[in-house]
Amino acid sequence: MRNLTQNTDYSVQVRQILLPSGRTSGLSAPIAVHTPVFVAPTRPGAVTNLRATNATSDTATLSWSPSSAPGVTYRVYLNGNRRDETTTGTSLVVGPVLVSPTRFPGPV
């Protein structure tokens, strides 16, 4: 179920439909569903276990321990400037000039 209202009680039932005849069952017994009040998450902690590997003359692969929290996005900064964004939490290649979503040439 989507687009429910927070902090609301709902009564939910389900009915089966036999296709192609369209015959239906009776409604199931109702269950009560309560949607909680959304509480915005607190500020996330810093990324842990940040590592640079496979460094070449113009790239380096970054990886870190991914968060277990849902909906996390990681922003990568190079010399204080935002360079990339990912939701995977691992294996980015960075350098000063953006060439593709994960490859940046230049010294690291």
Side-chain angles (χ1 to χ4, degrees):
M1 298 183 303
R2 298 179 192 265
N3 300 316
L4 301 178
T5 302
Q6 66 178 329
N7 197 30
T8 302
D9 293 311
Y10 293 93
S11 175
V12 179
Q13 295 174 282
V14 176
R15 172 178 281 159
Q16 295 185 67
I17 301 172
L18 182 62
L19 297 177
S21 70
R23 291 183 169 170
T24 62
S25 70
L27 286 170
S28 68
I31 61 167
V33 175
H34 177 79
T35 54
V37 174
F38 174 75
V39 177
T42 60
R43 182 179 179 164
V47 166
T48 60
N49 299 316
L50 178 61
R51 305 173 287 291
T53 58
N54 302 324
T56 68
S57 62
D58 64 351
T59 65
T61 301
L62 298 178
S63 61
W64 54 87
S65 297
S67 172
S68 60
V72 172
T73 297
Y74 302 94
R75 290 184 178 157
V76 178
Y77 293 81
L78 180 67
N79 295 327
N81 297 307
R82 186 170 152 188
R83 302 306 304 153
D84 197 19
E85 190 168 290
T86 182
T87 57
T88 65
T90 56
S91 299
L92 294 175
V93 182
V94 297
V97 181
L98 178 63
V99 174
S100 72
T102 58
R103 182 170 170 76
F104 305 82
V108 174

